[in-house]
Amino acid sequence: MPGYSVAIRTLGTSPVLRLELESIFSQTVLPDKVVIYIAKGYDRPSFRVGNEIYVEVEKGMMRQRVLPYSEIESQYLLMLDDDVTLEPDSAAKMLDVLTRNSLDCVVADTFHIQSDPLPSRIYSALTNFTLPHFSEDKAIKVNCGSTFSYLHRIEKPWYPAESGAGPASLWRLSSFHEMHYEDELWIDRLGFAYGDDQILFNKLVKNKKRLGMMFASGCEHRDSKTSSGLYKRDPDRLRKRSMARYLVWRRTCLDAYPHSRKMRIKCRVAFGFQFLWMMPAHLAAGFRQGGLGPLCQMVKGLLDGISFAGKEEFKSLPCYIAEPRDTLSLKPKDV
């Protein structure tokens, strides 16, 4: 079994972190190294489970993942959020799927949307245009409007995918660096990195790399809600989500086809249709609240996204289709 290391991004406040480390150091295939990337200004936890190493980095949902990983010498890297626990054979199973199938990344299915109750899936369809699909070629598909669909019925251990969820993913580290994810740090400027997982995983696929989604990996997302809880309490969240939705579409879809007029038209039509699709749900939410607040926030977020995309900071980003160049040179500080 090839060697791997573990990278965890954290603020150091997760109540699950100790359980997570205990599950990591109980793997049937132990990692070469466990590195915890903690945001500057936050205290290290008082406990130590094994020989984990803490490295101080700048705070940010994307910034704490887009790192040079100069501390890592392994060929493979298991990236985890700080609220994930593993079964003893999780790493071994993920390594087996990745290496046997020559994948560049395998992402664990930690949200199990196929198993959600029907009302929950209807709500996702109406508010996010998240729909099931029935073709068995991919677990997750990203459409030209940047929303995704999910495979209705799971019958195999893993499927190719076009995106995934961020809590647990195993990477071929060389492939990760080839993507130049440092170009995507703009998303941390939005206040909450809505859509950061799609930017990460879909970029791999758009650049002709191989992504797989693994089911029954034993990776459990215990959801400490460290960041999502703040987002859900934010009265401005619908504007931020609408703004992020536009920018993620602009970056991952429209700007991924700079030389194809046909695809750019298709992307614009798809985004426009999906925006209109979601408007009645926001209007209904406004009626329940006695006003048009949700719909107004949705429209304002779109306008803010268009404005942000017009700034030189966004316009000057390298193409989403990565080209060979030097890797990220930022060197985080050891704690």
Side-chain angles (χ1 to χ4, degrees):
M1 188 68 70
Y4 72 102
S5 289
V6 175
I8 301 172
R9 60 177 176 182
T10 189
L11 300 180
T13 58
S14 169
V16 184
L17 182 57
R18 183 166 193 149
L19 289 175
E20 178 171 6
L21 289 168
E22 288 173 352
S23 72
I24 290 169
F25 287 112
S26 299
Q27 291 299 295
T28 55
V29 179
L30 290 173
D32 300 331
K33 187 178 289 186
V34 178
V35 185
I36 303 173
Y37 295 95
I38 189 167
K40 288 181 179 179
Y42 290 82
D43 294 330
R44 275 174 48 176
S46 59
F47 58 81
R48 179 169 290 275
V49 175
N51 59 349
E52 65 266 26
I53 299 169
Y54 282 84
V55 175
E56 189 178 75
V57 295
E58 296 295 333
K59 180 183 177 182
M61 290 292 287
M62 184 68 80
R63 187 170 290 278
Q64 283 179 252
R65 182 142 288 170
V66 179
L67 298 166
Y69 295 112
S70 53
E71 306 81 12
I72 306 297
E73 298 177 356
S74 309
Q75 183 179 358
Y76 303 103
L77 183 61
L78 179 59
M79 296 185 188
L80 301 172
D81 284 353
D82 62 3
D83 52 3
V84 176
T85 57
L86 314 177
E87 291 182 356
D89 60 349
S90 291
K93 289 194 293 188
M94 294 179 77
L95 279 166
D96 183 66
V97 168
L98 188 146
T99 55
R100 281 181 179 270
N101 298 283
S102 301
L103 301 177
D104 296 282
C105 177
V106 58
V107 58
D109 173 40
T110 52
F111 290 110
H112 317 296
I113 190 171
Q114 296 87 355
S115 303
D116 283 350
L118 182 59
S120 178
R121 284 183 282 153
I122 292 174
Y123 179 82
S124 294
L126 294 176
T127 59
N128 292 308
F129 203 76
T130 303
L131 304 171
H133 66 254
F134 299 87
S135 57
E136 297 185 359
D137 56 330
K138 290 178 182 173
I140 298 290
K141 294 184 179 182
V142 176
N143 63 42
C144 290
S146 88
T147 59
F148 72 90
S149 62
Y150 57 92
L151 182 57
H152 173 67
R153 180 178 299 172
I154 303 302
E155 297 181 343
K156 297 189 295 185
W158 77 277
Y159 293 81
E162 294 180 354
S163 188
S169 56
L170 179 70
W171 292 78
R172 191 181 303 272
L173 194 51
S174 60
S175 298
F176 178 87
H177 287 311
E178 287 174 17
M179 294 300 99
H180 294 288
Y181 287 116
E182 63 270 21
D183 297 341
E184 314 308 330
L185 291 173
W186 59 268
I187 197 167
D188 281 343
R189 291 272 314 278
L190 305 185
F192 179 79
Y194 180 89
D196 58 326
D197 291 343
Q198 181 168 312
I199 284 184
L200 199 72
F201 294 115
N202 192 233
K203 187 169 191 176
L204 195 70
V205 177
K206 289 276 184 12
N207 281 275
K208 310 301 182 184
K209 300 290 187 180
R210 299 192 67 207
L211 173 68
M213 175 169 279
M214 185 174 175
F215 299 87
S217 66
C219 299
E220 182 180 354
H221 183 224
R222 294 177 177 260
D223 195 8
S224 66
K225 302 182 185 297
T226 303
S227 58
S228 63
L230 294 174
Y231 168 75
K232 290 176 181 177
R233 293 191 297 270
D234 187 347
D236 198 33
R237 66 187 181 280
L238 295 180
R239 181 194 67 82
K240 290 179 179 178
R241 185 175 71 170
S242 182
M243 179 181 180
R245 191 192 302 277
Y246 173 82
L247 292 169
V248 169
W249 163 78
R250 181 71 180 257
R251 183 72 176 144
T252 66
C253 295
L254 188 67
D255 291 350
Y257 303 104
H259 307 300
S260 174
R261 183 171 180 268
K262 179 180 179 180
M263 285 302 301
R264 288 174 68 84
I265 291 174
K266 188 175 180 180
C267 288
R268 291 183 186 277
V269 170
F271 181 83
F273 173 78
Q274 290 167 194
F275 189 85
L276 293 174
W277 171 282
M278 298 173 200
M279 288 182 73
H282 286 74
L283 187 62
F287 284 152
R288 290 198 303 270
Q289 298 172 15
L292 296 176
L295 182 61
C296 291
Q297 283 196 38
M298 181 186 181
V299 174
K300 189 175 188 307
L302 173 63
L303 297 177
D304 289 347
I306 293 172
S307 175
F308 187 93
K311 295 179 179 179
E312 188 61 27
E313 171 189 359
F314 192 88
K315 290 169 62 177
S316 62
L317 290 174
C319 184
Y320 196 62
I321 307 304
E323 296 179 355
R325 55 190 141 106
D326 292 337
T327 56
L328 184 62
S329 60
L330 176 65
K331 294 187 181 300
K333 177 183 176 185
D334 287 326
V335 179

Short mmCIF file of all heavy atoms in Angstrom, two decimals, residues 71 87 115 141 224 260 264 304 314 326:
data_model
loop_
_atom_site.label_atom_id
_atom_site.label_comp_id
_atom_site.label_asym_id
_atom_site.label_seq_id
_atom_site.Cartn_x
_atom_site.Cartn_y
_atom_site.Cartn_z
N GLU A 71 5.62 20.59 3.87
CA GLU A 71 5.90 19.65 4.96
C GLU A 71 5.64 18.20 4.56
O GLU A 71 6.02 17.28 5.27
CB GLU A 71 5.03 19.98 6.19
CG GLU A 71 5.13 21.40 6.68
CD GLU A 71 4.27 22.37 5.87
OE1 GLU A 71 3.43 21.91 5.06
OE2 GLU A 71 4.47 23.59 6.04
N GLU A 87 -13.47 5.41 9.72
CA GLU A 87 -13.41 4.02 10.16
C GLU A 87 -11.97 3.54 9.99
O GLU A 87 -11.20 4.12 9.21
CB GLU A 87 -14.39 3.17 9.35
CG GLU A 87 -15.85 3.47 9.65
CD GLU A 87 -16.81 2.58 8.88
OE1 GLU A 87 -16.32 1.77 8.05
OE2 GLU A 87 -18.03 2.70 9.08
N SER A 115 -30.07 9.76 -0.06
CA SER A 115 -30.83 9.20 1.06
C SER A 115 -31.66 10.24 1.80
O SER A 115 -32.37 9.90 2.76
CB SER A 115 -29.87 8.53 2.07
OG SER A 115 -29.11 7.53 1.43
N LYS A 141 -22.79 15.44 -11.65
CA LYS A 141 -22.57 16.15 -12.90
C LYS A 141 -22.76 17.65 -12.66
O LYS A 141 -23.68 18.05 -11.95
CB LYS A 141 -23.56 15.69 -13.98
CG LYS A 141 -23.35 14.25 -14.42
CD LYS A 141 -24.31 13.89 -15.56
CE LYS A 141 -24.10 12.46 -16.03
NZ LYS A 141 -24.97 12.11 -17.17
N SER A 224 -19.46 20.16 12.68
CA SER A 224 -19.39 21.01 13.86
C SER A 224 -19.94 22.41 13.60
O SER A 224 -20.09 23.20 14.52
CB SER A 224 -17.93 21.13 14.34
OG SER A 224 -17.14 21.82 13.39
N SER A 260 -14.91 29.17 -27.19
CA SER A 260 -16.06 28.48 -27.77
C SER A 260 -17.31 29.35 -27.63
O SER A 260 -17.91 29.40 -26.56
CB SER A 260 -16.27 27.12 -27.09
OG SER A 260 -17.44 26.51 -27.57
N ARG A 264 -20.24 29.20 -24.63
CA ARG A 264 -20.49 30.39 -23.82
C ARG A 264 -21.96 30.81 -23.89
O ARG A 264 -22.56 31.22 -22.90
CB ARG A 264 -19.56 31.53 -24.25
CG ARG A 264 -18.11 31.28 -23.84
CD ARG A 264 -17.17 32.34 -24.39
NE ARG A 264 -17.38 33.64 -23.78
CZ ARG A 264 -16.85 34.03 -22.61
NH1 ARG A 264 -16.09 33.18 -21.92
NH2 ARG A 264 -17.09 35.22 -22.13
N ASP A 304 -24.19 42.43 -7.55
CA ASP A 304 -22.88 42.55 -6.89
C ASP A 304 -21.87 41.59 -7.51
O ASP A 304 -20.68 41.92 -7.64
CB ASP A 304 -23.01 42.26 -5.40
CG ASP A 304 -23.74 43.37 -4.64
OD1 ASP A 304 -23.91 44.46 -5.22
OD2 ASP A 304 -24.14 43.13 -3.49
N PHE A 314 -10.60 40.24 -10.64
CA PHE A 314 -11.23 39.02 -11.15
C PHE A 314 -10.92 38.83 -12.64
O PHE A 314 -10.63 37.72 -13.09
CB PHE A 314 -12.73 39.08 -10.93
CG PHE A 314 -13.44 37.76 -11.15
CD1 PHE A 314 -13.58 36.85 -10.12
CD2 PHE A 314 -13.97 37.44 -12.40
CE1 PHE A 314 -14.23 35.64 -10.32
CE2 PHE A 314 -14.62 36.24 -12.61
CZ PHE A 314 -14.76 35.33 -11.57
N ASP A 326 5.27 27.66 -12.22
CA ASP A 326 5.79 27.38 -10.88
C ASP A 326 4.65 27.21 -9.91
O ASP A 326 3.61 27.86 -10.01
CB ASP A 326 6.69 28.52 -10.40
CG ASP A 326 7.98 28.59 -11.20
OD1 ASP A 326 8.35 27.56 -11.78
OD2 ASP A 326 8.59 29.67 -11.24
#
